[in-house]
Amino acid sequence: RLISSVIHILKDMEIEVEDSDSHAQETSSSILSQCHQQIQRKLQTSSSANANTTADALQAIEDFASCAHPSLTARIESLHRQIQDQRLLRLDLAESWEDRTCADFDLPTT
């Protein structure tokens, strides 16, 4: 499994390293925690009115999926845009490096 790292150079030359695995864990934990709290509040409200039933449990699962889906979709779209930006950057860099490395045809090659 490939884990990529991003190094941020902050103010006063402080360095912050962020790896893709821990970033994914933090993002998913945040989404899950937010939805968990929302569903828990809803269940506490409904449990005070009547006893928990199978229907309540099924509704809680539906509510959780409804909560998580938009957040996950937005995150995936954001990551897709980042990947496209990185792809374009790599293509631009590759074109400029190719021009520089192949400009002098009299250089000896190995």
Side-chain angles (χ1 to χ4, degrees):
R1 179 169 108 151
L2 179 64
I3 297 176
S4 62
S5 295
V6 176
I7 298 173
H8 300 278
I9 301 175
L10 306 172
K11 197 174 190 175
D12 297 327
M13 298 303 287
E14 292 181 32
I15 296 176
E16 176 182 273
V17 178
E18 178 183 285
D19 65 274
S20 59
D21 194 37
S22 63
H23 184 69
Q25 288 289 339
E26 288 172 14
T27 301
S28 63
S29 292
S30 172
I31 292 169
L32 293 176
S33 176
Q34 175 188 4
C35 292
H36 180 264
Q37 290 172 0
Q38 179 181 339
I39 303 307
Q40 193 172 24
R41 282 191 304 270
K42 192 171 187 177
L43 283 174
Q44 286 172 347
T45 303
S46 71
S47 69
S48 63
N50 58 17
N52 289 338
T53 64
T54 303
D56 290 338
L58 292 173
Q59 186 59 48
I61 292 169
E62 281 297 317
D63 291 345
F64 189 85
S66 296
C67 172
H69 187 265
S71 298
L72 292 173
T73 301
R75 183 66 183 141
I76 290 169
E77 287 174 357
S78 171
L79 291 172
H80 179 71
R81 284 191 299 275
Q82 289 177 13
I83 290 168
Q84 291 304 318
D85 290 345
Q86 292 172 8
R87 180 178 86 54
L88 292 173
L89 177 63
R90 284 193 301 274
L91 288 173
D92 289 346
L93 285 173
E95 287 176 5
S96 69
W97 288 346
E98 182 178 354
D99 290 342
R100 286 179 177 71
T101 57
C102 300
D104 190 351
F105 295 106
D106 295 330
L107 287 175
T109 59
T110 56

